[in-house]
Amino acid sequence: MHCPPSSPIAGSTLLLTEDHEDGAGNHAGWLLGQNDKGPISYAVSPVVYPTDCAFLPNGDLLVLERGVSMLTFSMALRRVGAADVRPGSVMTGELLLAVSGSAIDNMEALAVHQAPDGETRILIGSDNNFNDWQRSLLLEFALLD
């Protein structure tokens, strides 16, 4: 994910892993940039794993997490403050949304855009992976500040 101009690490690229540990039990990540480069970590949640991330216009980072247990899907969306996205940090973030059950699926895609009226919109998607027991879904939310 490329960091936006409003981010303290503008111009850098953030790589975040779903299933690779950093040595301290967190999800490993890396920042690649001219000025901001090095390891970064994302705190482990009990049931879900990070699957995608997207920056908000103000530089904050949204992280989509997904999980499955007993054939039930779960997802969470966390907001990490722009100041916490820096080399050497362990990002945790504020929980914005947590859902489990049949209303969602294997949510794995995240995008952010500005609506014509200036409202920040969040899109979360899944695909059925050609499985009869999964669905393709697209969810859209407005982010209220």
Side-chain angles (χ1 to χ4, degrees), residues 1 14-23 25-31 40-44 48-53 63-66 91:
M1 176 60 47
L14 171 64
L15 305 174
L16 188 60
T17 64
E18 182 174 3
D19 199 21
H20 181 74
E21 289 189 10
D22 66 356
N26 298 303
H27 299 282
W30 295 269
L31 279 169
I40 191 169
S41 300
Y42 185 74
V44 171
V48 290
Y49 300 86
T51 186
D52 201 0
C53 59
V63 179
L64 176 64
E65 303 171 333
R66 67 175 172 182
M91 301 179 292

Side-chain angles (χ1 to χ4, degrees), residues 19-102:
D19 199 21
H20 181 74
E21 289 189 10
D22 66 356
N26 298 303
H27 299 282
W30 295 269
L31 279 169
L32 308 174
Q34 292 294 325
N35 300 319
D36 301 292
K37 57 185 165 191
I40 191 169
S41 300
Y42 185 74
V44 171
S45 296
V47 179
V48 290
Y49 300 86
T51 186
D52 201 0
C53 59
F55 283 96
L56 293 170
N58 71 354
D60 288 355
L61 179 69
L62 292 180
V63 179
L64 176 64
E65 303 171 333
R66 67 175 172 182
V68 69
S69 93
M70 300 295 288
L71 298 177
T72 298
F73 292 108
S74 58
M75 74 167 216
L77 185 66
R78 294 184 184 274
R79 182 180 194 160
V80 178
D84 295 332
V85 183
R86 65 183 187 285
S89 72
V90 177
M91 301 179 292
T92 53
E94 167 194 8
L95 182 64
L96 299 180
L97 174 69
V99 183
S100 64
S102 63

